[in-house]
Amino acid sequence: MNAWAVLLLSALLAACATPPEPLPVGGFLSDAQFAAASEPIRPEAVFAISPAMQRYLDREITDKMRTQGRQQALIDALYSKGELRLEYDSALTRNAAQAFEARSGNCLSLVIMTAAFAKGLGLSVQYQSLYTDETLARSGDIHFVVDHINLSLGRRLSDFVGTARYPEVLTVDFLPPQDTSKQRVRQVAERTVIAMYMNNRAAESLARGRLNDAYWWAREAIVQDPSFTRGYNTLGVVYRRHGNLPEAEHALAYALTREPNNPQILSNLAQLLADQGRGAEAGSLKRRLAQLETEPPFIFFERGQVAMRSGDYAAARDLFAREVARAPYYHEFQYALALAYAKLGDARLARKHLALAMESSTTRGDHDLYAAKLDQIRGLQLQ
């Protein structure tokens, strides 16, 4: 489940111990500066069950509950072969009804849709946010750290009567198993999940240059959960790109009070201060940032691209390999490493890393691109 954290040039997501109490959100809003959103922004629609979902629940799930239990009947109906088979696609964060209609969604979308069905069946739902330092993404000059969320489904009280054959809690995850040694896990409330959804939509709008939409989505994120720090970071980025620098500073400075050692907020605020010609203040934040982040995200990838352009394919290979070592599930790094091996004439390793890029891709478009490239390299042709 991908809850995107928006940045100016780097990414946001960090845990913070004992943050200050959230301020009233009204002081961070500047509605008059933005045109109306291009579509309704309705928090009640996030988990709403559409008529098509209700029909599917009644026809495909209810009959199986007696033999499989409510939890397993739901998961089998949604994700097992021969049934609905929703696909993972990170291109857009959808609400429950949209994910069901499209038969695809990113992790957050699939969590929301599954939770909507589960609540329709009377099951209890608990959400967990998991974070590892290895999950990166980007869109243009906006870099992201991807927050991963899963959910656990509890049984109804009546399901405990007369049977013990079904699990009390079933955890549902939509990404392949990864190394959990670096993961930080915390339970999150449903209002936070809604805020994550709103923040994702803000990030996606921002990446597409739709600043008015980005504002209204980010606004709703902090309205839904005033303690959701990433919402203030996103709002600050929107304000900066819209030219509202005092408002941007207010939002980012507040986010920094909640997460004072977050390198991404530091980076965003330092860049904002530099934009305003406040070099001494920006320099102070950059020095703090350098102490926290000695090897920023994408640094070896960017150096590898420079090496590729200069024709130093061996250096590019080594730099891309360093990125792959710390983020093995990011498809763009695997693809870059495949290209370097191809330029060095090592078709075997080029095929290997291109296949890994295809397997770890998170959109249908990327998957199809890598599949086509893999077909080419199988004929010893990689462009």
Side-chain angles (χ1 to χ4, degrees):
M1 299 76 231
N2 298 21
W4 299 95
V6 187
L7 313 180
L8 298 180
L9 292 172
S10 56
L12 165 61
L13 191 140
C16 177
T18 317
E21 288 298 314
L23 295 175
V25 298
F28 297 95
L29 306 181
S30 188
D31 296 357
Q33 303 289 336
F34 294 87
S38 63
E39 61 181 291
I41 296 176
R42 299 184 298 114
E44 67 273 13
V46 175
F47 288 95
I49 293 181
S50 67
M53 293 173 68
Q54 187 63 53
R55 287 193 296 272
Y56 189 81
L57 191 156
D58 294 338
R59 297 174 183 175
E60 303 296 333
I61 300 176
T62 303
D63 288 346
K64 300 177 181 178
M65 293 190 307
R66 287 184 289 274
T67 58
Q68 296 178 270
R70 294 174 187 271
Q71 300 146 301
Q72 196 62 51
L74 171 59
I75 299 309
D76 286 352
L78 294 181
Y79 304 110
S80 295
K81 290 183 178 180
E83 301 290 349
L84 182 61
R85 288 294 291 169
L86 275 86
E87 297 179 0
Y88 181 89
D89 188 345
S90 70
L92 177 68
T93 303
R94 299 179 171 95
N95 63 27
Q98 291 166 342
F100 183 78
E101 181 180 5
R103 301 301 195 263
S104 67
N106 62 20
C107 280
L108 183 58
S109 299
L110 298 181
V111 161
I112 288 170
M113 189 204 66
T114 304
F117 272 119
K119 292 193 289 184
L121 291 171
L123 297 173
S124 64
V125 179
Q126 178 178 290
Y127 309 95
Q128 293 85 222
S129 176
L130 303 89
Y131 172 67
T132 75
D133 295 330
E134 300 175 336
T135 312
L136 304 173
R138 69 175 187 172
S139 177
D141 65 345
I142 302 175
H143 291 192
F144 306 93
V145 167
V146 182
D147 190 11
H148 179 61
I149 184 171
N150 64 23
L151 78 165
S152 296
L153 307 180
R155 293 163 61 184
R156 298 198 322 173
L157 182 61
S158 59
D159 291 337
F160 287 92
V161 178
T163 179
R165 56 180 171 164
Y166 307 131
E168 293 186 13
V169 176
L170 178 65
T171 298
V172 185
D173 206 303
F174 299 102
L175 289 185
Q178 301 180 9
D179 178 16
T180 60
S181 62
K182 297 181 181 179
Q183 288 184 342
R184 298 193 293 273
V185 182
R186 64 184 178 92
Q187 294 184 13
V188 295
E190 189 163 281
R191 68 177 182 276
T192 306
V193 176
I194 296 174
M196 288 177 173
Y197 169 83
M198 299 295 175
N199 197 62
N200 273 24
R201 294 300 307 270
E204 291 156 0
S205 298
L206 185 62
R208 292 171 173 81
R210 299 173 182 171
L211 291 179
N212 290 310
D213 284 349
Y215 169 77
W216 294 105
W217 287 113
R219 178 194 194 279
E220 193 61 33
I222 65 173
V223 168
Q224 289 301 309
D225 186 355
S227 67
F228 185 63
T229 305
R230 277 177 286 154
Y232 299 94
N233 178 75
T234 304
L235 189 62
V237 174
V238 173
Y239 278 138
R240 175 180 178 263
R241 294 209 166 189
H242 196 254
N244 306 110
L245 301 189
E247 292 87 349
E249 183 177 351
H250 183 43
L252 291 171
Y254 175 65
L256 193 61
T257 66
R258 294 186 59 80
E259 297 188 3
N261 292 321
N262 186 298
Q264 291 75 46
I265 302 174
L266 282 167
S267 176
N268 289 338
L269 185 54
Q271 184 60 58
L272 175 66
L273 295 174
D275 291 345
Q276 297 174 295
R278 295 157 64 180
E281 294 171 83
S284 176
L285 292 180
K286 289 178 180 178
R287 286 190 292 274
R288 286 174 58 188
L289 178 62
Q291 293 175 340
L292 291 169
E293 195 174 59
T294 57
E295 296 178 347
F298 285 84
I299 186 65
F300 303 124
F301 177 75
E302 291 165 358
R303 292 173 182 171
Q305 288 181 311
V306 172
M308 286 287 282
R309 288 193 292 269
S310 68
D312 191 348
Y313 303 126
R317 173 201 60 202
D318 295 343
L319 288 162
F320 293 145
R322 292 184 72 177
E323 287 288 20
V324 166
R326 64 179 183 171
Y329 302 103
Y330 186 51
H331 60 94
E332 193 172 359
F333 295 162
Q334 293 285 1
Y335 179 56
L337 186 55
L339 289 176
Y341 276 121
K343 292 294 187 180
L344 291 168
D346 192 331
R348 182 184 66 83
L349 286 176
R351 284 194 300 270
K352 171 187 172 182
H353 288 281
L354 189 52
L356 289 170
M358 184 178 68
E359 291 171 7
S360 59
S361 61
T362 56
T363 70
R364 291 172 180 169
D366 286 336
H367 182 277
D368 293 346
L369 170 66
Y370 299 144
K373 294 290 186 181
L374 188 56
D375 285 342
Q376 291 175 358
I377 200 175
R378 282 172 178 150
L380 299 181
Q381 298 272 328
L382 183 60
Q383 301 179 11

